[in-house]
Amino acid sequence: MSTSRVPWSSSDDYLLFSSIIIIVGVLLFSYMAWSLWHTQITAFYLRAMLGQM
């Protein structure tokens, strides 16, 4: 009755962990960027939209 599970982490475990860390980092950066540069971001998109009309 041996199991095929190895006692150390597989590359799939590292991929999942890395993906979670990247997603959390992108979300945190997005929140901080929106909080700090909300006015500039909005002005940029308004100028872009008015330029297309």
Side-chain angles (χ1 to χ4, degrees), residues 1-46:
M1 235 198 270
S2 69
T3 60
S4 62
R5 179 83 174 136
V6 292
W8 56 85
S9 297
S10 67
S11 63
D12 291 339
D13 294 336
Y14 291 124
L15 178 65
L16 179 65
F17 180 71
S18 298
S19 298
I20 291 170
I21 294 298
I22 290 169
I23 290 170
V24 168
V26 166
L27 290 173
L28 182 64
F29 175 76
S30 299
Y31 174 76
M32 294 297 293
W34 183 255
S35 296
L36 292 173
W37 300 306
H38 171 72
T39 307
Q40 291 87 349
I41 294 169
T42 305
F44 172 79
Y45 280 112
L46 283 175

